[in-house]
Amino acid sequence: MRLIRVRTGVIGVGLLLATGLPAQVTSAAAEEPAVEAPAVEAPTVEELRLEQAVPQEILRRSGFDSVAPEFARALGRADSYGQARRTVVRAGSALWRRAVDRAQGRGPAGGDLSRDDDRPLYWARLGLTREVRAFQPEFGLTDARRAALLDALERTSRGQDDIRLPHGKGVRRVLVTGFDPFTLDRDIRISNPSGASALALDGTVIETAAGPARVETAVFPVRWRDFAEGTVERTLRPYLARADLFATVSQGRVGRFDVERTNGAWRGGFPDNDNVSRTETVPVADPATQPQWTSTTLPYARITAAATGRFPVYDNTSVTEIPAGGTDAVVRPDGPTPGSAARAGGGGNYLSNEIAYRATLLRDRLGLGGTLPGGHVHTPVLQFGAGNTTEVTDPDFVRNRLDIVAQVRAVLAVAVSATGRTRG
């Protein structure tokens, strides 16, 4: 056998009893000291939600319920760390491509769940990460190597290493990021329209008044730890200098889009998808030069003035700060005052604000603040139809998501049209 699991010993005793052999074997082989199986990581809070009925229904109705079992069998055949890593990378990349293809109408739908749904990717990924945590190969697996497998799986299944910006002039290059579903303990049925937008737009070309724009996307976790470990910077740094525009996108307020003018260097402590809280200054490299605020360079005036869809789009200038020399937090509708300490950007003090802060700070530290348009866009909250408190989907839910995705595309088209020449 190439794969040892905890239950192997129980199965072995059962086989002995079934053949009539005594369970107490006295052969030389039985007297050899037992080899301790590699340690297994416990499932995370996110992964434990997989056993609930709603995730199982979403996976079944999209055809993604086979992803984790097939991956477990392939991983079980790995007889070296190198082979296990190749299996993980192939599975993660295939999951991302499958989710993108499904959202963009390629290949079988796999079930009756609408193609625009981002939730099959989220729940299938958690099935894969859970298998990696339980993996007990004969060749042994150190904690560091298991962590490396999980990291490779996260990056590949989120499209973070699948960004392919075209070379040459004549086409704009646009980077867009989305998020996983979140607040799942409040309603496990939740979908995130920013993640759905990322799937719908990845690799597509948007026709704009300034010419074609190629969009490349990636999705990020709703976990404080990953952001502190630099997942945003690691993903975006290789591409910002070649991009013509970037937009970090997340779900925000009910019934409206917002272009967030200012981002703050503060974590407000709201629990993430692992139910972990963090209340602190956003941890970044070189904190001695860390600003309290960063600003959008998206053409917000043009975006808010344009007719992009059925939801109104606002230029949100509000922040919450502790004024210089003060001790209490104050809401400032027109942006921060000099010397103040951030307590919330326009997009709040959760991970949507943090990805905006990190991306725009990276832009500025790379010396691109004066040339690269970029910032954060909040979508409306994706709502179910009136009275639906139990079903995983309904016609209003699908229509709302499709309308939000279409309006994200239109907002990007306006933003591209309002910017200067391509970088070439």
Side-chain angles (χ1 to χ4, degrees):
M1 291 178 62
R2 293 193 176 91
L3 181 64
I4 302 174
R5 296 193 183 273
V6 173
R7 60 179 179 269
T8 302
V10 177
I11 294 171
V13 172
L15 287 173
L16 289 172
L17 294 176
T19 56
L21 294 175
Q24 299 296 324
V25 181
T26 58
S27 66
E31 292 172 357
E32 293 178 359
V35 177
E36 185 176 351
V40 176
E41 284 193 16
T44 65
V45 170
E46 275 190 290
E47 291 163 357
L48 288 172
R49 296 189 186 103
L50 262 172
E51 297 308 315
Q52 297 186 40
V54 164
Q56 293 301 311
E57 180 180 350
I58 289 170
L59 290 171
R60 185 176 63 256
R61 293 179 62 180
S62 61
F64 279 57
D65 54 339
S66 63
V67 171
E70 291 172 358
F71 172 68
R73 289 191 290 271
L75 193 60
R77 292 191 292 270
D79 56 13
S80 68
Y81 173 73
Q83 188 175 350
R85 183 176 177 83
R86 288 189 291 273
T87 299
V88 164
V89 168
R90 282 195 300 269
S93 299
L95 178 58
W96 173 253
R97 294 315 322 163
R98 178 173 174 176
V100 168
D101 287 347
R102 186 177 192 275
Q104 297 181 15
R106 293 185 291 271
D112 67 342
L113 205 62
S114 62
R115 283 181 175 268
D116 53 284
D117 204 315
D118 60 303
R119 297 172 295 176
L121 171 63
Y122 175 71
W123 292 112
R125 181 191 302 115
L126 289 174
L128 301 191
T129 58
R130 187 172 63 175
E131 289 295 336
V132 173
R133 292 186 206 283
F135 185 39
Q136 292 179 280
E138 285 186 339
F139 57 81
L141 196 63
T142 64
D143 290 344
R145 283 192 162 184
R146 191 185 303 276
L149 292 180
L150 288 165
D151 179 69
L153 181 54
E154 288 280 344
R155 288 180 58 77
T156 54
S157 65
R158 295 180 177 282
Q160 293 176 3
D161 67 347
D162 189 49
I163 297 171
R164 302 287 185 267
L165 294 178
H167 294 279
K169 298 182 178 180
V171 61
R172 303 295 180 95
R173 290 165 287 272
V174 178
L175 283 174
V176 175
T177 68
F179 272 108
D180 290 345
F182 63 108
T183 62
L184 294 156
D185 291 334
R186 185 177 66 194
D187 187 347
I188 198 165
R189 303 174 300 156
I190 280 174
S191 162
N192 194 323
S194 70
S197 297
L199 293 177
L201 293 172
D202 187 54
T204 64
V205 175
I206 299 175
E207 295 298 333
T208 79
R214 168 70 175 268
V215 182
E216 291 289 314
T217 72
V219 173
F220 285 88
V222 183
R223 294 191 298 256
W224 296 113
R225 181 190 70 250
D226 298 68
F227 276 52
E229 292 173 353
T231 185
V232 173
E233 292 83 356
R234 183 171 63 166
T235 301
L236 299 184
R237 184 178 288 108
Y239 306 106
L240 284 190
R242 291 176 47 214
D244 296 296
L245 183 142
F246 72 87
T248 56
V249 183
S250 67
Q251 179 176 249
R253 300 167 179 89
V254 174
R256 59 184 280 181
F257 275 80
D258 288 281
V259 181
E260 305 297 354
R261 186 83 74 88
T262 307
N263 318 297
W266 186 252
R267 295 174 152 190
F270 190 81
D272 65 11
N273 275 352
D274 271 332
N275 290 340
V276 173
S277 298
R278 289 287 184 270
T279 305
E280 60 191 352
T281 299
V282 171
V284 297
D286 193 14
T289 66
Q290 177 179 10
Q292 284 294 298
W293 308 100
T294 64
S295 299
T296 189
T297 46
L298 290 172
Y300 50 85
R302 292 280 296 273
I303 293 171
T304 55
T308 54
R310 70 178 171 102
F311 298 100
V313 184
Y314 293 91
D315 168 22
N316 185 25
T317 59
S318 178
V319 301
T320 302
E321 66 174 18
I322 296 178
T327 57
D328 297 328
V330 178
V331 176
R332 300 291 190 190
D334 298 320
T337 57
S340 65
R343 284 300 177 267
N349 51 27
Y350 196 42
L351 286 158
S352 56
N353 167 78
E354 184 160 333
I355 197 170
Y357 177 84
R358 288 179 178 276
T360 50
L361 178 61
L362 178 61
R363 174 203 63 197
D364 296 345
R365 286 181 167 181
L366 292 173
L368 302 171
T371 59
L372 177 60
H376 195 74
V377 176
H378 260 126
T379 76
V381 172
L382 177 57
Q383 295 181 302
F384 289 95
N388 177 9
T389 60
T390 58
E391 300 301 315
V392 301
T393 190
D394 62 57
D396 287 343
F397 184 66
V398 174
R399 181 176 69 90
N400 289 337
R401 186 167 49 215
L402 288 172
D403 285 353
I404 292 170
V405 170
Q407 196 161 348
V408 169
R409 183 184 288 107
V411 165
L412 292 174
V414 172
V416 169
S417 299
T419 58
R421 296 176 298 173
T422 61
R423 293 176 179 271

